[in-house]
Amino acid sequence: MKTAIDARELPFDAVLCDLDGVIRFYDTAEVTRLEEEAGLPEGITATIGFAPENDLPLLLGQITRDQWAQSIAQGLGSRVSLGDAHALAKAFTEAGFWADEAVVGLLRQVREHCPVVLVTNATVWLDEDLAVLGLADLADSVINSSLVGVAKPDRRIYEIAAEQAGARVDRCLFVDDREENIDAANELGMTTVLYRAVGDLRGSLAGLLNR
C-alpha cells in the first residue's frame, strides 16, 4: 500500500479531501443531553441516523432532511416516547457545526500549488453549510455524493474527483477519516492519509508546502 509518509514523488498534482471528520465537526452536546434525559445510551441517535438504510438515501439525494429526521424518530420510537424521539431527531439533524481552522489554513496553502477538491458524502444543502462556515471558496471543486449520485467508497466518486481536478488518480493525495474510503482510494493507486489529527495532514503535505 502506498502512503503519504513514504511517497517520494511529491508534489502531488491534486489534493482530494473529505469534509466531515477532517474539516467540519458537529456540536453533539444537545443530543447527548437529550439522550441522557431520556435514559438512552450516549450515541444511539447517531447510530440510528448513520445506519445505511437511513443515511445512504440522504447522501444520494433521494430523501429530504425532514424524511431523514422521520426515519431517526421511527428508529428511536421503540425506546422513548414519540415526543422525545422527535426532539432527538430534530437536535441531531439540525446540530450546529464548526470548521477546524488549522486544516482550513493548510488547504488554503495547498491551493497555491495545486487544485484542492472536496470529496464528500454529503447532503443537497451542503453549499449552504459551506457558506455558513465561510468556506464556499475553500476548494476548486466540490464533489458531493448527493449531487453526483454515488458515494464513497464507490470508486466512481474518486474518478469523478480526479477528473475534475485534472489529475491522474495515481497523482492525487486523498485524505479521509474512514478506513473503507482510504482502502478504496488505495486500490485506485492514490496516495492516502487516514486522518486522525491535523499533524497527519501537515506531515503528508510537507513536501508540497515546503518546496
Side-chain angles (χ1 to χ4, degrees), residues 81 87 92 162 164 182 192 202:
S81 69
F92 182 76
Q164 188 67 36
I182 289 293
T192 58
R202 185 179 290 113

Side-chain angles (χ1 to χ4, degrees), residues 181-203:
N181 296 338
I182 289 293
D183 290 345
N186 278 319
E187 289 178 6
L188 285 171
M190 290 181 176
T191 299
T192 58
V193 179
L194 179 59
Y195 186 88
R196 292 293 179 263
V198 67
D200 300 328
L201 181 58
R202 185 179 290 113

Side-chain angles (χ1 to χ4, degrees), residues 58 63-72 89-90 92-95 97 123-126 128-129:
L58 179 77
I63 62 173
T64 66
R65 192 200 308 251
D66 287 344
Q67 289 171 318
W68 184 40
Q70 183 62 35
S71 70
I72 296 170
K90 179 179 175 61
F92 182 76
T93 59
E94 298 180 7
F97 45 80
T123 64
V124 294
W125 59 88
L126 175 61
E128 299 172 19
D129 289 355

Side-chain angles (χ1 to χ4, degrees), residues 3-85:
T3 67
I5 301 302
D6 61 14
R8 296 291 181 257
E9 73 274 16
L10 297 179
F12 311 102
D13 292 337
V15 172
L16 314 182
C17 189
D18 184 27
L19 178 66
D20 292 322
V22 178
I23 300 170
R24 176 171 66 169
F25 297 86
Y26 283 87
D27 181 358
T28 60
E30 178 63 7
V31 175
T32 299
R33 184 186 70 79
L34 290 172
E35 287 174 338
E36 183 177 359
E37 285 187 355
L40 292 171
E42 183 176 342
I44 186 63
T45 308
T47 297
I48 293 170
F50 293 139
E53 63 271 20
N54 296 328
D55 189 42
L56 189 57
L58 179 77
L59 300 179
L60 294 179
Q62 297 170 351
I63 62 173
T64 66
R65 192 200 308 251
D66 287 344
Q67 289 171 318
W68 184 40
Q70 183 62 35
S71 70
I72 296 170
Q74 289 175 348
L76 290 166
S78 63
R79 301 169 180 264
V80 294
S81 69
L82 184 60
D84 285 346

Side-chain angles (χ1 to χ4, degrees), residues 131-204:
V132 168
L133 289 167
L135 300 181
D137 64 343
L138 177 62
D140 294 276
S141 301
V142 177
I143 307 303
N144 178 348
S145 64
S146 66
L147 299 184
V148 300
V150 60
K152 295 178 293 186
D154 190 306
R155 64 179 290 153
R156 289 174 292 171
I157 196 168
Y158 303 87
E159 292 167 342
I160 292 169
E163 181 179 0
Q164 188 67 36
R168 298 199 323 254
V169 292
D170 63 344
R171 292 290 297 161
C172 292
L173 173 68
F174 177 75
V175 185
D176 202 286
D177 67 322
R178 298 182 68 90
E179 290 189 9
E180 62 266 32
N181 296 338
I182 289 293
D183 290 345
N186 278 319
E187 289 178 6
L188 285 171
M190 290 181 176
T191 299
T192 58
V193 179
L194 179 59
Y195 186 88
R196 292 293 179 263
V198 67
D200 300 328
L201 181 58
R202 185 179 290 113
S204 71

